[in-house]
Amino acid sequence: MLITTTERIPGHDYEVIGEVFGVTTQSKNVLSNIGAGLKNIVGGEIKAYTNMLHESREKAITRMVAEAEDKGADAVVMMRFDSGSISTDMQSVVAYGTAVKFVD
């Protein structure tokens, strides 16, 4: 599955199928939250949360691709991410874009 953040795919014409999404919500365990709280005092990167967000993005992409495949898409154009906190220890990530079918 070709995924691009651009609107056009050079060398391909396509028809739009529609929007596709992949969503995940993740949280870290209590020990990670305690460690993050301590790190917040001294500053610096909180690697447990960085890893959680990286994994969340990958899961969101995988779910978006699965939805695009279910709709018969060859690619997803204009792919974007959005994220937000649900509570102090939960993060939601969505990958979204436009599923398209090649006509060339």
Side-chain angles (χ1 to χ4, degrees):
M1 175 73 57
L2 178 62
I3 302 170
T4 180
T5 58
T6 61
E7 183 178 358
R8 302 294 315 141
I9 301 171
H12 290 285
D13 290 321
Y14 55 79
E15 60 185 29
V16 171
I17 295 172
E19 295 177 338
V20 286
F21 298 88
V23 180
T24 185
T25 301
Q26 305 285 321
S27 70
K28 293 310 281 179
N29 62 46
V30 172
L31 294 177
S32 293
N33 287 337
I34 292 170
L38 294 173
K39 189 69 168 184
N40 192 33
I41 294 170
V42 297
E45 181 179 8
I46 303 169
K47 291 184 181 178
Y49 282 95
T50 299
N51 291 337
M52 179 184 72
L53 286 173
H54 178 73
E55 290 170 11
S56 296
R57 286 172 52 117
E58 293 301 316
K59 284 184 182 187
I61 289 172
T62 298
R63 291 175 180 173
M64 179 191 67
V65 166
E67 184 176 335
E69 288 173 342
D70 287 347
K71 293 182 176 185
D74 295 314
V76 175
V77 297
M78 298 296 292
M79 197 282 291
R80 301 286 188 264
F81 287 107
D82 196 5
S83 65
S85 297
I86 293 178
S87 70
T88 58
D89 63 343
M90 285 187 269
Q91 186 74 25
S92 182
V93 175
V94 60
Y96 62 96
T98 302
V100 298
K101 181 84 174 159
F102 296 141
V103 294
D104 51 3

